[in-house]
Amino acid sequence: MAKNLTSHRPLLAIGLKTTAIFLFTAMAALVKYLSEDIPAGEAVFFRSFFAIPVIVVWLIARRELRNGLIAKKPMNHFWRGVLGTSAMGLTFTGLGLLPLPEVTAIGFATPIFTLVLAAIFLGERIRVIRIGAVLVGLLGVVIMLWPRLGGDAEADDLAMIGALCILAATFARAFVQIHIRQMVQTEHTAAIVFYFSATASILSLMTLPFGWVMPSTEQLALLILAGIIGGFAQILVTSSYRFGPASMLAPYDYTSMIFAVLIGYFWFSELPTGMMIAGATLVIAANALVVWREHKLGLERGKARAVTDPKS
């Protein structure tokens, strides 16, 4: 049975990953819908707290609850929670101020920033192709943000704040990726998933004095639904990597733009601008270049291992 759970089943992996991306986008849409009345910190609490039961049931079903409760380095989980909660709060704030497709597009810059931070903090080498990808990606980010940061005569102050929040959230998520790379050396994946939701629930309560509101019955139901959807999406995206390699699944992250454009148009009457599409295209192209390069390097390393450590 264990062998089947880790088998190479690309169609299943793609289905799980794409479904997870859709659910994350739907969750973001729910938060955006509620943002006019529900503060971001309150939304973070419901998103995190009501994901916990879903995650616990999943861990029990996989017989990994024990691993999920073992924290070998508790402070690492704390800082992962601080970074992740900050990213979530900033994203939820930005969702209330910017169109859903724009928030999604700016978020695509996370892998680009992760490359830069990995070079600075982990000493990872950035070769010519990666440097080119970073420059192209950063150019795409500038193009997307330019109208919001004063490049447009009709720039709106609230939209500018929203753009800065999403940019900051993107940086925070990049730091999370770097931190998790270090955590996985000592911590079980189940523990990372469980303690993030638990820590985020606690940290979000600190925003209680800053204007939480009593939600209506409908709002409460949607907030709880957002948390449940987020929990399921987290499980699906984690499970997808059991059936396919990260390099194969990475391009499917960009299906979120399709979902964001459709939901944004039909639910919020939002349309992507030409500048946003141009910038997002450059960022996606830069990420695709990095994924291709990583795949090629992986094949080269595999061939080297086959030569130096033959199995037959």
Side-chain angles (χ1 to χ4, degrees):
M1 179 64 70
K3 183 177 180 180
N4 290 335
L5 288 176
T6 56
S7 63
H8 182 64
R9 301 171 64 184
L11 292 180
L12 177 58
I14 291 169
L16 290 170
K17 181 68 178 287
T18 306
T19 303
I21 295 300
F22 170 75
L23 290 177
F24 276 128
T25 309
M27 181 203 71
L30 285 173
V31 172
K32 179 177 178 60
Y33 175 72
L34 294 165
S35 62
E36 187 173 342
D37 301 308
I38 305 298
E42 187 173 353
V44 170
F45 170 78
F46 280 93
R47 157 63 181 93
S48 305
F49 183 78
F50 285 96
I52 293 177
V54 179
I55 293 171
V56 168
V57 170
W58 177 61
L59 293 178
I60 292 174
R62 288 171 49 83
R63 298 181 180 179
E64 291 185 353
L65 183 59
R66 181 178 179 182
N67 291 325
L69 298 177
I70 297 175
K72 296 180 180 178
K73 295 184 178 180
M75 286 306 298
N76 282 351
H77 289 278
F78 171 75
W79 288 116
R80 188 267 184 268
V82 170
L83 291 169
T85 305
S86 299
M88 194 186 304
L90 289 165
T91 299
F92 286 3
T93 300
L95 280 168
L97 302 173
L98 291 178
L100 180 61
E102 188 170 349
V103 171
T104 303
I106 297 173
F108 288 154
T110 296
I112 301 300
F113 295 142
T114 302
L115 269 180
V116 176
L117 294 176
I120 296 174
F121 294 101
L122 301 182
E124 295 185 6
R125 293 181 60 186
I126 300 183
R127 296 178 175 85
V128 175
I129 292 179
R130 288 182 175 181
I131 292 175
V134 168
L135 294 176
V136 171
L138 292 178
L139 176 61
V141 173
V142 171
I143 291 174
M144 285 189 288
L145 294 179
W146 183 252
R148 300 301 188 187
L149 302 183
D152 190 331
E154 299 180 357
D156 180 79
D157 289 342
L158 289 178
M160 179 179 68
I161 294 172
L164 291 175
C165 285
I166 299 302
L167 184 62
T170 303
F171 269 110
R173 283 196 296 269
F175 273 109
V176 168
Q177 295 298 320
I178 297 299
H179 190 56
I180 289 177
R181 287 189 191 183
Q182 298 174 314
M183 288 184 69
V184 294
Q185 298 176 17
T186 58
E187 305 295 326
H188 196 280
T189 302
I192 295 174
V193 171
F194 174 80
Y195 281 110
F196 167 64
S197 293
T199 305
S201 299
I202 296 172
L203 291 176
S204 61
L205 288 174
M206 296 175 65
T207 66
L208 186 60
F210 299 99
W212 279 35
V213 300
M214 180 62 69
S216 66
T217 302
E218 178 190 1
Q219 290 170 336
L220 180 62
L222 292 177
L223 285 167
I224 294 173
L225 180 61
I228 294 173
I229 289 176
F232 272 113
Q234 198 167 349
I235 289 170
L236 290 177
V237 75
T238 301
S239 299
S240 69
Y241 292 106
R242 299 178 64 84
F243 302 104
S247 59
M248 180 193 76
L249 293 173
Y252 293 92
D253 286 330
Y254 305 113
T255 58
S256 61
M257 178 55 74
I258 299 174
F259 299 138
V261 169
L262 291 174
I263 294 174
Y265 177 74
F266 287 106
W267 193 349
F268 302 106
S269 300
E270 298 171 343
L271 284 173
T273 64
M275 292 282 281
M276 193 213 77
I277 293 174
T281 300
L282 288 177
V283 173
I284 291 173
N287 287 331
L289 182 60
V290 172
V291 171
W292 170 80
R293 181 58 177 166
E294 288 298 319
H295 178 66
K296 186 175 181 180
L297 289 175
L299 291 177
E300 292 174 355
R301 286 192 290 266
K303 291 178 181 178
R305 284 195 296 268
V307 172
T308 58
D309 185 24
K311 300 300 181 184
S312 59

